[in-house]
Amino acid sequence: MFKIVSIPGDGIGPEVVASAIRVINTLARQHGLEITIEEHLFGGASFDVHGEMLTQETLEACRKCDAVLLGAVGGPKWENLPHEKKPEAALLGIRKELGLFANFRPAKVYDALVNASSLKPEILAGTDFMVIRELTGGIYFGEPRGYDDTRGWNTMVYEHYEVERIARLAFDAAMKRKKQLVSIDKANVLESSQFWRNIVHEVHKDFPEVELIDMYVDNAAMQIVRDPKQFDVIVTKNLFGDILSDISGMITGSLGMLPSASIGSSHALYEPIHGSAPDIAGQNKANPIATIASAAMMFEHSFCMKNVADEIYSAIEKTLASGFRTADIANPEDTIVSTTEMTDAIVANLEAS
Ligand code: IPM
Ligand code: MN
């Protein structure tokens, strides 16, 4: 028996989460799994009702469940709130409160979409790597922080245990893949990066089978677009991971395709990488695949059912191969399908398998 908390959130969030829930329910039926899904408010949707983006009630529910499925938060309506009330602050709050220190963002190119990227197909074909981003430390959370009329300041700081635990997790992930880990920092300029690098090397001693490569973040940005196939597992600090995971996402053709998992020692949250896309919200146009793939990551990481995750991935691949395209991944000659049509097709492929 698994308990999921779903947080549709804002913009296209409710539409894509509804799609993922249909997929989850289909699989639960097929595999005889008892899965309960409880919906909670978060972000702007919560602010409009409670005057708070993240309530204690939602937080408690997230603490008590096996996995959280999040759509997206934010939109123009809430953009002008003070900094600490913005949806982004709530997202950082939920990460911190649930201790979700590791963020997994796969950059995998679907064969059917190799022409949808801004990169040449021959550079891209076969790209399949994982960005592991530290998520609850570094400059995102460091103190002191602030600004006044004459200065603005933030602090990039890491504690030993924060680097050690993410490094361990990244080496573990590398052991399950191609045994190659690229650690990305800016140790030529930043002391906090030299500290990061030293600890990653310390942890490496426990994983002698893994090849460890250090790379500066500017070079890494260049290498990801030059030759993305050289990467298998990347581990990096919070801010660098934010930037590099968007680059990695974009080369795969569409952010609308990419899931993520944020994992801590006792909680996990799954969400698509794309945002709330307010311009297309409520129009049944959003690509549900990133959220459906996030559900796949949930089956794999939180429920330890890699077989079910693989069923989802192959249903997505089949659906793409038979030509289904939402607007974000369509070429001019393609017929564009809606969120529900894409979901129907994926569910049908699951039912047929
Ligand atoms: C992300 C987002 C967030 C981040 C924002 C919305 C706070 O860009 O998940 O990558 O910077 O971490
Ligand atoms: Mn980001």
Side-chain angles (χ1 to χ4, degrees), residues 88-89 91-92 95 103 105 133 135 140 238 242 245-246 271 273:
E88 286 80 359
L91 197 53
L92 298 184
R95 288 173 182 169
N103 182 226
R105 297 186 171 185
R133 167 188 176 192
L135 202 61
Y140 268 60
N238 203 341
D242 179 45
S245 62
D246 268 30
E271 64 179 314
I273 283 186

Side-chain angles (χ1 to χ4, degrees), residues 181-196:
L181 179 63
V182 178
S183 169
I184 296 174
D185 62 36
K186 189 73 186 174
N188 48 346
V189 178
L190 304 174
E191 286 80 358
S192 62
S193 273
Q194 186 60 54
F195 178 75
W196 170 282

Side-chain angles (χ1 to χ4, degrees), residues 2 33 66-67 176 270 295-310:
F2 299 108
L33 306 171
D66 297 301
K176 291 189 196 130
Y270 301 84
M297 291 188 90
M298 177 185 288
F299 276 102
E300 180 169 355
H301 292 282
S302 284
F303 306 160
C304 299
M305 294 186 189
K306 183 157 187 323
N307 57 323
V308 176
D310 287 341

Side-chain angles (χ1 to χ4, degrees), residues 46-187:
S46 168
F47 187 83
D48 288 350
V49 178
H50 300 295
E52 271 180 280
M53 295 274 171
L54 173 59
T55 61
Q56 278 306 318
E57 188 206 327
T58 294
L59 199 52
E60 275 315 305
C62 292
R63 286 211 174 97
K64 286 192 203 126
C65 70
D66 297 301
V68 180
L69 180 67
L70 176 73
V73 284
K77 191 171 167 194
W78 308 282
E79 242 162 45
N80 296 320
L81 290 170
H83 199 74
E84 68 287 354
K85 288 218 172 257
K86 284 191 202 300
E88 286 80 359
L91 197 53
L92 298 184
I94 206 169
R95 288 173 182 169
K96 193 72 171 177
E97 289 290 334
L98 298 178
L100 309 174
F101 66 86
N103 182 226
F104 289 73
R105 297 186 171 185
K108 185 173 184 319
V109 178
Y110 288 90
D111 288 341
L113 292 186
V114 74
N115 290 309
S117 169
S118 50
L119 295 191
K120 296 191 191 90
E122 62 271 25
I123 294 201
L124 204 63
T127 293
D128 177 5
F129 64 91
M130 179 71 81
V131 179
I132 302 180
R133 167 188 176 192
E134 199 291 324
L135 202 61
T136 52
I139 198 165
Y140 268 60
F141 293 91
E143 299 283 349
R145 61 191 300 154
Y147 68 92
D148 57 26
D149 289 342
T150 51
R151 298 172 70 225
W153 59 94
N154 286 95
T155 305
M156 189 181 268
V157 55
Y158 270 106
E159 300 295 328
H160 191 288
Y161 78 93
E162 293 178 305
V163 184
E164 190 183 337
R165 70 182 173 185
I166 190 87
R168 244 172 233 294
L169 196 138
F171 278 111
D172 271 332
M175 284 298 289
K176 291 189 196 130
R177 296 181 48 124
K178 292 187 188 151
K179 301 189 180 167
Q180 184 226 60
L181 179 63
V182 178
S183 169
I184 296 174
D185 62 36
K186 189 73 186 174

Side-chain angles (χ1 to χ4, degrees), residues 284-349:
N284 201 16
K285 284 185 181 164
N287 186 347
I289 291 180
T291 316
I292 292 171
S294 299
M297 291 188 90
M298 177 185 288
F299 276 102
E300 180 169 355
H301 292 282
S302 284
F303 306 160
C304 299
M305 294 186 189
K306 183 157 187 323
N307 57 323
V308 176
D310 287 341
E311 284 176 36
I312 299 180
Y313 294 127
S314 73
I316 292 172
E317 263 160 35
K318 267 190 213 146
T319 306
L320 289 171
S322 46
F324 285 81
R325 298 284 185 277
T326 42
D328 57 310
I329 49 173
N331 286 318
E333 68 279 11
D334 291 331
T335 316
I336 293 173
V337 303
S338 66
T339 310
T340 38
E341 286 166 327
M342 181 67 99
T343 311
D344 290 343
I346 293 173
V347 168
N349 275 319

